Amino acid sequence: MTHPTERITYFVEVVLPLHLPEYYTYRVPFEYNDLVAVGQRVIVQFGQKRLYSALVRKVHTEVPAYKTKYILSILDYEPIVGETQFKFWEWMAGYYMCYVGDIMAVALPSAFRLASESTIAIHPEFSGEYGNLTKSELNVLEALMNKSVLSISEISNITGYQKIFPLLKTMIEKKIIVMEEEIKQRYTPKKEKYLSLSDKYKDSEAETKELFDTLEKKSSTQKQLTVLLAFFRLSEFGKNAIAKKQLTQNTDLSSSAINTLIRNGVLVEEERTESRLIDGDATASVDDIELSEQQQNALSICLHPYSKNVTLLHGVTSSGKTEVYIKLIDKVVKEGKQVLFLLPEIALTAQVINRLRKYFGNKVGVYHSRFSTNERAEVWNKTIMGKDGGYQILLGARSAVFLPFQNLGLVVVDEEHDNSYKQYEPAPRYNGRDSAIYLAHLFGAKTILGSATPSLECYYNAQTEKYSLATMDKRYGGLMMPEILCVDMKEAARTKEVQLHYSKFLLDHIQEALENKEQVILFQNRRGFSLRLECDACHWIPECKHCDVSLVYHKQTNSLRCHYCGYSIPIPNECPACHSTGIKMKGFGTEKIEEDLQIFFPDAKIARMDLDSTTQKKKYLEILTDFEDRNIDILVGTQMITKGLDFDNVSVVGILSADNMISFPDFRSFERSFQQMTQVSGRAGRHGRRGKVIIQTYNPYHQAIRDVIDNNYLSMYKSQINERRVFRYPPFYKLIRITVKHKDERIVNEASSLLAHDLRQVFGNRVLGPEYPSVSRIKNSYLKNILVRFEKSEAIAQGKKIIINISNNIINQKEYSKVTIIHDVDPQ
Ligand code: ADP
Ligand code: ZN
Ligand code: ZN
């Protein structure tokens, strides 16, 4: 007798993690009828040979007009992605001109994305009973015995079976074989050894006292005594279990003494599966935070029943935005909902994590692109669990928008203006801030955007009442805004008060700070940061072989390196063009600054923080901690040090050259310079007396610099918003940048001209270009850009579809089939 439901034939539409424009339909074998659900992963065959794990988007019974393949197996018992996530992906694909499959490929931790090159192994629990196997099954098994892991195509070759998939499918079902990824993806939670006091001593103080007495008496047990004392201290007198490594890592403690205590039954060792993420209980209550009047005002605006869905919190540096976030988060968490807290760069989270953990303890999860894929999978699962033993507050950089929130109640985007919210490569080229706002909208949740220097786009939205606006113009605790002083470098040069690149004025202030045991931050914009070589005689400059850029000097490796592709050469002894030996260093990088300063201030401890010195997370944290602990006197850095760090002993901040920021040819350069200078100024004078900022510039009367000095965001905003209107830039116009890429320069020129021509047929003078970008060749590919700008009122969604069609028409021409066309919506 068959069960009646078994006769229903179900089909699923699935998302494949591939650059494909549509969903694909597969048939569900009857035995999976009760198991299959939206948001689960299934194994499907796609193309001739490949297997993929795909996500079920829809289950239905409409029989398609074409013959469908069966899904081969189901990987999840519970959905790992919800309906809202799919809606979010679908929106993102439409908005950022890519496919849902592109998004799946970046959204899921790779532990969930079983690769297509599926390899098969013998099932670890295979019983070894060969008697029941068919001949073909035995053949497959034999192949696997010779070479424990094989790809499906290899199996097909060895056995000579053409139709290998149905066979493997049954073998998988019979638990004879298993997909290797399947083994890998069932990630093993990390085990950690724990020590606790044995019951004997836990229950009796007398026993404990006697134990101490005996250990104390003999000299041979002194080491055990030391261990036990350490254990009692760490475990709150034996109340808690502690990680064994807390003892073993301490070199003062003898590891054999630790083991003796375990052997003698004093300490009990057990293995626990432990979350890899540092957990801890909350140590303070949010109710104990007393907000200042302006914080209270800001909070009321965010919570006001008539507030918009998005509130922009414009609060000067150190105004206490985080405390306002914490109050909002607390409210949402108490309602049982979840919070997404975005930061521009995950490296910056350390300080924020600590502040949030203090109040919310284990409810805080951190999602990190540098975590291992298993750790990411773990955070993913704990996001699904939400308030039931999982995470309610998820902190991360832009990719955290993809976490499978169940009931999102609030989104916080800190340092909203930061351009690292935008992903450029690969697709989806999304903006984490804007996507998070849409995600919040899907959940009916509110968003709060915080910044001391809001982006023009967001401030414009606040001015036009699309967003609510809360302003905090004073620092918390009556702290004064830093005093900002400007050094006219032309004048300083005239009066001979410049050494190398440093004005006497700046050096004197650094000296004074050091004498007062205060710290100094020196900022050098990344654009002025690189050191290049140049031949004094013929002005030859070493350039990258593959990219249209000059090579940058790296002291550590004593080589010249390309920042785009990594190509590197040793320092040449003579100029290859004219054979002169007069090759000189040009430019003014952080390494050079570090070196120079050591000459001016031989006793100061100087460190450097930029992309090169901080590629490892650990290194970054080390520098940060060292600076916080005042083991570093002067910190030299690029953009990285401008971002939301909170130090309490910095009295002088120097901006070494303001000019290379301002002069950059980009419609945002004025806004950016203001933001960077204001942000780095904000590092001065926290928790203490008033800090000083010293800006070195050749243009002391430039408006951007005047606005920074006056701390006048509104003045910057007004002048810039006017320019944007006049010159037709965001927020008044939407930009789409189209990049055409190919190894052959001629083809790039042709294809891009043709594309621009076709686009003009539809969009007229909304199309600009094609033009070479400032770096017109990267990794041997030539690039050309076309810019399309739409009035806000137009049907932009329709326009995007037309752009995609026109682009596809180009690529569909045989001679341009290898051309890459990239669409970047809202480029930065
Ligand atoms: P912002 O993020 O706006 O630059 P922070 O949130 O870092 O400013 O606040 C600056 C400092 O003031 C922090 O050390 C913070 O702990 C402290 N602070 C702000 N608000 C309060 C408050 N209501 N009670 C106690 N300390 C506060
Ligand atoms: Zn030369
Ligand atoms: Zn290169």
Side-chain angles (χ1 to χ4, degrees):
M1 268 294 285
T2 49
H3 195 272
T5 57
E6 282 183 2
R7 288 214 200 90
I8 302 177
T9 303
Y10 285 112
F11 295 90
V12 288
E13 279 178 33
V14 301
V15 188
L16 286 154
L18 300 170
H19 186 67
L20 296 169
E22 52 209 291
Y23 295 144
Y24 286 80
T25 303
Y26 288 83
R27 189 170 163 177
V28 180
F30 288 133
E31 64 264 35
Y32 292 157
N33 275 7
D34 294 333
L35 296 175
V36 70
V38 170
Q40 290 171 341
R41 285 168 307 152
V42 291
I43 297 282
V44 297
Q45 186 194 339
F46 184 77
Q48 278 303 303
K49 290 199 172 131
R50 301 190 159 212
L51 294 190
Y52 289 94
S53 64
L55 270 173
V56 177
R57 176 68 188 98
K58 211 171 141 190
V59 184
H60 63 81
T61 53
E62 295 155 42
V63 183
Y66 48 90
K67 194 167 157 21
T68 52
K69 293 186 191 113
Y70 279 101
I71 60 174
L72 299 179
S73 60
I74 299 183
L75 285 179
D76 302 303
Y77 297 110
E78 300 291 335
I80 61 161
V81 167
E83 181 65 28
T84 321
Q85 275 78 44
F86 281 121
K87 289 211 177 99
F88 179 56
W89 294 6
E90 282 157 4
W91 166 81
M92 190 180 265
Y95 188 89
Y96 291 108
M97 301 172 78
C98 61
Y99 299 136
V100 174
D102 297 328
I103 297 172
M104 174 177 171
V106 302
L108 291 190
S110 53
F112 289 138
R113 269 183 274 134
L114 307 191
S116 67
E117 283 57 47
S118 298
T119 44
I120 300 286
I122 298 179
H123 197 295
E125 283 156 31
F126 173 58
S127 62
E129 284 171 32
Y130 301 100
N132 305 329
L133 303 185
T134 66
K135 185 159 174 289
S136 20
E137 286 172 351
L138 278 172
N139 282 340
V140 171
L141 213 52
E142 198 182 308
L144 284 168
M145 278 169 181
N146 291 333
K147 211 176 158 226
S148 60
V149 174
L150 288 171
S151 75
I152 292 180
S153 56
E154 282 172 322
I155 296 182
S156 173
N157 285 341
I158 295 172
T159 58
Y161 294 132
Q162 293 300 309
K163 289 190 177 164
I164 192 87
F165 280 100
L167 172 64
L168 295 180
K169 172 179 159 273
T170 17
M171 290 182 73
I172 289 173
E173 281 162 5
K174 285 189 179 171
K175 295 208 167 133
I176 304 167
I177 57 167
V178 66
M179 288 180 53
E180 206 209 0
E181 289 94 334
E182 202 172 346
I183 305 177
K184 280 195 211 139
Q185 65 103 19
R186 304 220 180 280
Y187 61 91
T188 37
K190 195 170 145 198
K191 295 246 170 69
E192 177 84 53
K193 287 190 175 138
Y194 271 76
L195 294 178
S196 52
L197 193 60
S198 70
D199 289 344
K200 178 176 169 194
Y201 299 102
K202 229 182 212 163
D203 299 340
S204 157
E205 249 175 68
E207 292 273 9
T208 312
K209 189 168 176 307
E210 204 189 309
L211 172 67
F212 272 100
D213 286 345
T214 8
L215 292 178
E216 225 165 24
K217 272 185 211 132
K218 280 188 270 172
S219 65
S220 63
T221 50
Q222 289 310 304
K223 283 181 177 165
Q224 290 178 48
L225 185 66
T226 320
V227 170
L228 204 58
L229 285 170
F231 172 82
F232 268 82
R233 186 167 42 76
L234 292 165
S235 64
E236 297 198 25
F237 299 96
K239 263 198 300 204
N240 307 326
I242 65 164
K244 187 178 181 185
K245 64 167 183 249
Q246 281 182 277
L247 295 181
T248 51
Q249 276 169 0
N250 184 341
T251 47
D252 295 339
L253 302 176
S254 135
S255 57
S256 69
I258 298 172
N259 290 327
T260 312
L261 287 168
I262 297 168
R263 242 192 347 265
N264 294 346
V266 178
L267 299 180
V268 180
E269 182 181 50
E270 63 178 327
E271 240 181 9
R272 294 188 187 177
T273 18
E274 200 32 52
S275 167
R276 268 153 277 238
L277 312 161
I278 331 109
D279 285 340
D281 286 327
T283 55
S285 158
V286 178
D287 294 334
D288 293 341
I289 302 176
E290 276 193 47
L291 294 185
S292 68
E293 201 183 317
Q294 70 168 6
Q295 285 174 322
Q296 193 58 55
N297 279 337
L299 184 66
S300 324
I301 291 172
C302 300
L303 293 175
H304 195 278
Y306 294 137
S307 76
K308 310 284 182 209
N309 291 333
V310 181
T311 300
L312 175 63
L313 175 55
H314 177 203
V316 296
T317 49
S318 233
S319 55
K321 294 185 285 292
T322 317
E323 267 70 15
V324 177
Y325 303 150
I326 289 173
K327 288 281 185 188
L328 287 166
I329 292 169
D330 188 47
K331 189 169 167 291
V332 172
V333 166
K334 281 183 177 145
E335 291 165 4
K337 294 185 181 167
Q338 289 177 305
V339 177
L340 167 63
F341 194 122
L342 287 185
L343 286 161
E345 233 154 271
I346 200 69
L348 304 172
T349 47
Q351 288 188 338
V352 180
I353 297 172
N354 289 339
R355 280 169 83 176
L356 291 181
R357 285 242 164 92
K358 183 172 157 198
Y359 296 105
F360 304 108
N362 291 333
K363 296 191 178 82
V364 182
V366 181
Y367 196 57
H368 200 307
S369 60
R370 279 184 235 144
F371 280 172
S372 77
T373 176
N374 281 350
E375 286 167 326
R376 282 157 69 87
E378 196 168 319
V379 178
W380 190 276
N381 290 334
K382 286 188 119 179
T383 307
I384 296 178
M385 286 155 74
K387 68 178 193 319
D388 307 316
Y391 294 133
Q392 275 185 276
I393 302 158
L394 276 302
L395 199 81
R398 58 174 185 253
S399 65
V401 298
F402 295 118
L403 283 168
F405 294 99
Q406 300 294 296
N407 56 354
L408 192 63
L410 174 70
V411 169
V412 177
V413 184
D414 198 18
E415 312 290 347
E416 139 310 290
H417 63 275
D418 199 294
N419 60 350
S420 38
Y421 278 121
K422 181 70 162 60
Q423 157 131 335
Y424 178 64
E425 196 64 51
R429 298 179 170 80
Y430 66 105
N431 183 309
R433 172 197 65 204
D434 300 341
S435 305
I437 292 173
Y438 190 80
L439 184 70
H441 157 77
L442 286 175
F443 280 98
K446 299 238 166 179
T447 301
I448 176 149
L449 308 174
S451 176
T453 52
S455 62
L456 284 191
E457 284 86 342
C458 288
Y459 204 78
Y460 177 76
N461 282 338
Q463 292 287 307
T464 51
E465 296 186 9
K466 196 174 159 197
Y467 296 169
S468 299
L469 177 65
T471 308
M472 302 201 292
D473 57 7
K474 288 189 274 303
R475 288 182 151 187
Y476 177 79
L479 198 68
M480 278 198 282
M481 292 302 284
E483 181 183 7
I484 303 180
L485 305 163
C486 185
V487 184
D488 181 344
M489 291 299 277
K490 238 186 284 173
E491 185 59 20
R494 200 182 57 79
T495 55
K496 304 229 163 19
E497 298 201 314
V498 180
Q499 294 184 52
L500 298 170
H501 300 278
Y502 313 90
S503 60
K504 181 169 178 304
F505 188 75
L506 176 61
L507 292 176
D508 286 350
H509 275 88
I510 298 177
Q511 182 68 45
E512 194 190 320
L514 294 176
E515 279 165 11
N516 293 335
K517 301 254 176 289
E518 292 159 342
Q519 289 165 295
V520 175
I521 286 180
L522 293 180
F523 171 74
Q524 172 70 320
N525 180 277
R526 212 177 288 150
R527 289 195 186 106
F529 136 93
S530 39
L531 267 186
R532 292 176 172 81
L533 294 190
E534 189 177 321
C535 169
D536 255 3
C538 74
H539 298 290
W540 169 82
I541 293 171
E543 284 175 350
C544 177
K545 243 167 76 177
H546 314 291
C547 313
D548 170 30
V549 290
S550 45
L551 297 172
V552 176
Y553 173 66
H554 279 256
K555 188 176 142 215
Q556 266 169 349
T557 50
N558 196 35
S559 64
L560 296 168
R561 223 168 69 192
C562 170
H563 273 192
Y564 286 86
C565 74
Y567 170 78
S568 94
I569 56 167
I571 308 285
N573 295 324
E574 55 163 48
C575 169
C578 74
H579 302 290
S580 143
T581 49
I583 299 180
K584 289 264 166 65
M585 208 73 86
K586 301 272 148 123
F588 177 28
T590 43
E591 275 182 15
K592 178 81 170 23
I593 296 167
E594 194 184 0
E595 226 175 75
D596 293 346
L597 289 173
Q598 207 68 74
I599 300 168
F600 292 124
F601 308 107
D603 297 329
K605 278 164 279 169
I606 303 171
R608 177 168 62 89
M609 180 144 86
D610 53 40
L611 280 179
D612 287 315
S613 70
T614 52
T615 35
Q616 306 133 309
K617 179 176 132 213
K618 183 152 173 289
K619 184 85 194 218
Y620 175 90
L621 289 175
E622 251 167 49
I623 298 174
L624 210 61
T625 317
D626 274 351
F627 195 66
E628 269 171 338
D629 295 347
R630 306 188 187 181
N631 297 328
I632 294 170
D633 302 313
I634 306 176
L635 184 61
V636 183
T638 55
Q639 265 79 337
M640 289 199 88
I641 56 171
T642 67
K643 297 186 181 187
L645 296 172
D646 186 2
F647 304 114
D648 59 5
N649 188 40
V650 176
S651 65
V652 173
V653 166
I655 296 174
L656 291 169
S657 50
D659 306 310
N660 57 32
M661 292 189 245
I662 299 169
S663 61
F664 199 75
D666 176 308
F667 71 93
R668 290 188 212 273
S669 64
F670 194 109
E671 178 190 2
R672 287 269 155 72
S673 333
F674 178 87
Q675 284 165 343
Q676 279 176 17
M677 286 191 271
T678 305
Q679 291 286 346
V680 74
S681 303
R683 306 310 127 209
R686 297 183 149 220
H687 304 286
R689 44 195 202 93
R690 192 173 185 197
K692 275 202 178 111
V693 179
I694 294 161
I695 302 178
Q696 301 194 139
T697 174
Y698 288 89
N699 297 293
Y701 297 105
H702 192 286
Q703 192 57 42
I705 291 176
R706 298 324 308 176
D707 289 342
V708 172
I709 292 176
D710 301 340
N711 185 29
N712 196 339
Y713 176 83
L714 263 181
S715 158
M716 187 282 293
Y717 171 78
K718 281 182 189 147
S719 70
Q720 282 306 294
I721 206 80
N722 258 334
E723 292 209 356
R724 299 281 184 93
R725 189 182 285 120
V726 172
F727 295 106
R728 304 204 287 163
Y729 279 115
F732 303 99
Y733 290 78
K734 279 254 160 207
L735 303 185
I736 298 171
R737 185 167 52 210
I738 306 172
T739 303
V740 179
K741 209 166 117 181
H742 191 271
K743 302 248 177 250
D744 185 335
E745 190 173 11
R746 183 185 59 85
I747 291 187
V748 167
N749 276 324
E750 282 176 19
S752 58
S753 299
L754 199 59
L755 179 57
H757 170 269
D758 291 356
L759 289 168
R760 280 202 178 89
Q761 301 290 311
V762 184
F763 302 114
N765 67 2
R766 293 179 190 86
V767 181
L768 304 175
E771 260 176 42
Y772 285 112
S774 56
V775 178
S776 63
R777 188 172 61 119
I778 297 177
K779 296 184 193 168
N780 285 327
S781 281
Y782 289 87
L783 310 173
K784 239 170 166 177
N785 285 341
I786 297 168
L787 200 63
V788 185
R789 52 179 162 206
F790 288 116
E791 297 84 324
K792 271 261 173 111
S793 55
E794 270 180 295
I796 297 176
Q798 192 54 32
K800 287 175 182 166
K801 283 189 189 139
I802 296 171
I803 292 176
I804 290 178
N805 282 339
I806 294 177
S807 306
N808 286 343
N809 286 343
I810 303 278
I811 295 174
N812 288 339
Q813 299 178 29
K814 206 167 148 231
E815 43 191 324
Y816 303 129
S817 62
K818 293 268 163 59
V819 168
T820 306
I821 300 182
I822 293 168
H823 301 107
D824 189 11
V825 179
D826 304 336
Q828 281 290 312

